[in-house]
Amino acid sequence: MEHSLCTPEILAAFGLSPTSAVTPLYGGHINDTFVAQEAPGGPRYTLQRVNRFVFPRPEDITENMAGVTGFLQEKIRGRGGDPERETLTVRPTADGKPMFTDRAGHPWRCLRYIEGATSYETPESLAMLEEAGFAFGDFQRLLSEYPAHTLHEIIPDFHNTPARFAQLMEAVKTDKAGRVAEVGKELDFAYKREEACGLLTGLLEKGELPLRVTHNDTKMSNILLDDKTGKAVCVIDLDTVMPGLCAFDFGDSIRAGAATAAEDETDLTKVRFDLERFSAYARGFLRAAGEILTEKERDTLPDGAILMTLEVGMRFLADYLNGDVYFRTARPQHNLDRARNQFKLVEEMEAAREDMGRVVRELMG
Ligand code: GN1
Ligand code: MG
């Protein structure tokens, strides 16, 4: 990432001294993030250049964020919490706008940096996973009365598994990068699961699962943990907050959190599904959200884990076929490695479907 992206022009736009110290924050595949501080010891700010290609309507993100953080602030205040620490706070531009568009047309936003708390790339203990589960469960619970349908759908069909399958088929058909011949085995894996792709979206259409406010990127690194207590402080990265299914938010956490290796590990013998990690996350999640979920939602949490992992695997594979245009890659076959890794994890989860269901039932007593 280019350090020079966060120029004095950007700082000044948000009313920050153009001589502020700027450091890049690495992590995500999509946006470019920096931390700025005007003077040593003073408040810090997170500045983000939003990826225009992934998010063509950044003003929709801003509106969703304003609605959701405003609602969360009230709820947090109502239960005696600190609304400036337990949810994100936007710092507007010098002329009072929630976003700034730079000369090249890139949207930027500025958030208060939450001090004394850290985001971890991967869970370092079962206790940490349980905290993450609690944080995302709490997010679900606090927002359970928010009118989900009023939110913008930031990325249409983001977690629509059949639509993701169709996008993969489209990538096969166009074969933009001439790579289809290399991925026969991976495509077979996806074809075999075409019907399974429709399970949760089908239940939503039949009204058997409710539409909720979902986060849609529920990985460990999108939670801040308090440096002193280790307790979850805040859910971050609200770019993809939109209406969705609870099982997918739960499932996306399990995809990363209950896997024994990183999503781009190439030694597939290391890629296992770990029921103990699943249980730790589920314990935290259900402690916070168990009561507000319907029975059907609870029953389908394991399916969310399987379908979410399948979906991300299909997205990596489609991006590989499209010539690596969406996910940031660090090596030529990075997206293919990621797809193989996710599909291995899907197999592991399919074998553990019953165990996952039993854990959820036991946790709900
Ligand atoms: C992307 O950029 P990051 O890491 O927050 C992606 C997620 C994927 C994830 C896979 C907007 O998230 O959906 O699960 O990569 N976000 C978007 O690592 O597409
Ligand atoms: Mg993200």
Side-chain angles (χ1 to χ4, degrees), residues 10-17 20 36 38 43-48 62 65 69 73 88-100 108-113:
I10 308 296
L11 294 164
F14 290 100
L16 293 170
S17 160
S20 300
E38 291 182 294
R44 294 196 280 178
Y45 295 92
T46 305
L47 285 144
Q48 281 192 307
T62 310
M65 260 176 87
T69 55
Q73 277 160 10
L88 297 177
T89 313
V90 174
R91 178 187 167 107
T93 62
D95 52 5
K97 309 244 166 60
M99 272 212 173
F100 172 70
W108 285 79
R109 70 162 153 260
C110 183
L111 304 164
R112 281 174 62 113
Y113 186 93

Side-chain angles (χ1 to χ4, degrees), residues 113-149:
Y113 186 93
I114 297 172
E115 300 289 346
T118 304
S119 128
Y120 295 81
E121 268 313 302
T122 46
E124 290 170 7
S125 65
L126 291 176
M128 209 183 249
L129 255 180
E130 186 172 338
E131 268 313 298
F134 184 82
F136 284 119
D138 193 42
F139 185 82
Q140 269 307 316
R141 183 179 51 165
L142 290 177
L143 291 167
S144 63
E145 286 157 18
Y146 191 95
H149 65 274

